[in-house]
Amino acid sequence: MAEKVPEYKIFAIKYATRDARRSDHFIGGDPHDGPMPMDYFTWAVVGPDRVFLVDTGFSEAVGTRRGRQFLRCPIDSLKLVDIDPDAVTDCVITHLHYDHVGNFSKLRHARFHLQEREMAFATGRYVRYGYFAHGFEEDDVVGMVRLNFKRRLEMYDGDMELAPGFSLHFAPGHTAGLQVARVHTQRGYVVLASDASHYYENIQKNRPFIAVVSIADTLDSFRKVERLADSPRHIIPGHDPLVMKRYPATSASLKDVVARLDADPVG
Ligand SMILES: [Zn+2]
C-alpha cells in the first residue's frame, strides 16, 4: 500500500509593509488608481519530522534604506511559531530579490535551496542595468556565492521534490529563476507562489507585476501555479495584505502577524 503523504502546517509571518498605489504594481498602470499597500512575508512549513523555511525577508537596515516599514525580524519571529532559528536545517530561497534572501546569515546551520538560473541571472550581465539590479542587494548575492563555496547551497535546474509532500517548481518571469513551493496540507496541495504572483489580482486577472524579466514567462507561470494548486483558494500570493485577512491568526495576540495557511480561508 502506498505511504500516506505527510501533511504540513504553513505559517505566514508578516515582517514588513509599505504604502503603495495600484499604479505602482501593474504593467501598464491602472485606470482606477488608488491605494494598494504591500505586505512582506516569510513562510515556515512544519511537517511531522521536517521544518522548511521559505525565504528570509530583509533586514531592518535594508528595509529602512528602501523606505519600507519594518515590523519585526523575520528570523527572530520564527520563535513565535516555536521554531529555533538555529535548528532550521533547510531554507528555500524563491528568488534572490532583497525582500526574499536578506537575513540568510542569521540561519547559521541551514542549507539553502535555489534555482541555478536565478543565481546565473543575479551574477550575470544584466545586473549592470539598473532596471534589473534594483531588486538585488549586492551583499546578498555575494553572500549566496560564498555559501556555495561552503557547500551550503543546493542549486536546481527545474522542479525538485525536497521531501514527500514538499516540492519546488520553476516558475520564472518576475525573475529568471523564480521557484514556488508546493506543500501538502490537511486541505490539499497549497502553492506558496511568492512573487510568481505578488497579489491575487496578478494571477486572477492575468496582469503581471510591474517588475519582470519576461512577461510571457510570467503568464506561463500563472498557469503552472494554477495547475500545481488544488484550487484557486490554494494559491498564496507573495505580498498581498488580503492573506492576513483571509487566513486565521495562530492566536488572538498574533492577529495580523502570523496566519495559518493550511487552514481554510474565509471569503
Ligand atoms: Zn518580493
Side-chain angles (χ1 to χ4, degrees):
M1 217 171 80
E3 289 256 316
K4 201 168 173 287
V5 180
E7 291 175 352
Y8 294 81
K9 297 173 186 164
I10 312 175
F11 301 95
I13 302 170
K14 174 176 159 181
Y15 71 88
T17 190
R18 76 173 161 109
D19 290 329
R21 298 188 65 77
R22 294 182 56 81
S23 54
D24 297 330
H25 300 315
F26 298 105
I27 287 176
D30 193 281
H32 311 289
D33 200 12
M36 193 173 188
M38 178 177 277
D39 282 351
Y40 296 83
F41 302 99
T42 58
W43 301 275
V45 177
V46 178
D49 42 39
R50 298 258 326 246
V51 173
F52 295 96
L53 186 64
V54 178
D55 289 345
T56 54
F58 53 67
S59 67
E60 182 163 19
V62 167
T64 303
R65 167 154 54 76
R66 288 178 179 257
R68 298 349 182 196
Q69 189 187 341
F70 189 80
L71 302 170
R72 55 191 66 84
C73 172
I75 305 303
D76 294 344
S77 299
L78 291 173
K79 292 172 188 145
L80 298 174
V81 292
D82 293 327
I83 296 172
D84 172 4
D86 280 342
V88 174
T89 57
D90 292 278
C91 179
V92 171
I93 300 295
T94 62
H95 61 304
L96 288 172
H97 278 173
Y98 77 98
D99 52 326
H100 297 262
V101 68
N103 302 313
F104 66 87
S105 59
K106 289 189 145 203
L107 297 174
R108 297 186 299 172
H109 306 299
R111 280 189 315 159
F112 293 84
H113 303 270
L114 181 71
Q115 289 288 323
E116 186 169 35
R117 273 178 271 190
E118 184 71 6
M119 179 65 103
F121 189 91
T123 54
R125 68 183 187 271
Y126 294 108
V127 173
R128 68 187 294 175
Y129 303 105
Y131 176 79
F132 290 121
H134 174 74
F136 299 115
E137 283 287 324
E138 185 180 325
D139 286 346
D140 293 339
V141 175
V142 171
M144 293 311 270
V145 170
R146 292 208 165 101
L147 282 182
N148 191 32
F149 276 90
K150 294 190 171 78
R151 300 189 184 88
R152 289 179 56 200
L153 184 63
E154 303 290 337
M155 285 189 274
Y156 306 115
D157 180 18
D159 299 358
M160 173 62 58
E161 184 180 73
L162 286 191
F166 184 85
S167 52
L168 305 179
H169 301 267
F170 186 55
H174 169 59
T175 66
L178 192 140
Q179 61 186 350
V180 302
R182 182 177 191 243
V183 187
H184 188 245
T185 70
Q186 59 186 353
R187 69 180 176 107
Y189 281 97
V190 169
V191 174
L192 297 174
S194 182
D195 293 1
S197 188
H198 290 64
Y199 293 90
Y200 285 104
E201 203 170 332
N202 295 115
I203 191 166
Q204 287 172 356
K205 297 190 177 168
N206 295 318
R207 300 196 62 197
F209 185 72
I210 202 158
V212 286
V213 169
S214 163
I215 292 173
D217 285 348
T218 300
L219 295 167
D220 282 346
S221 290
F222 286 164
R223 299 293 84 78
K224 182 167 182 176
V225 166
E226 286 172 347
R227 285 195 301 274
L228 290 166
D230 272 5
S231 84
R233 284 156 61 88
H234 291 74
I235 297 170
I236 312 295
H239 288 277
D240 200 323
L242 284 174
V243 169
M244 281 288 145
K245 295 190 166 60
R246 290 185 178 173
Y247 289 92
T250 49
S251 68
S253 62
L254 290 176
K255 193 165 167 41
D256 205 35
V257 179
V258 183
R260 278 284 291 274
L261 305 181
D262 53 305
D264 283 321
V266 292

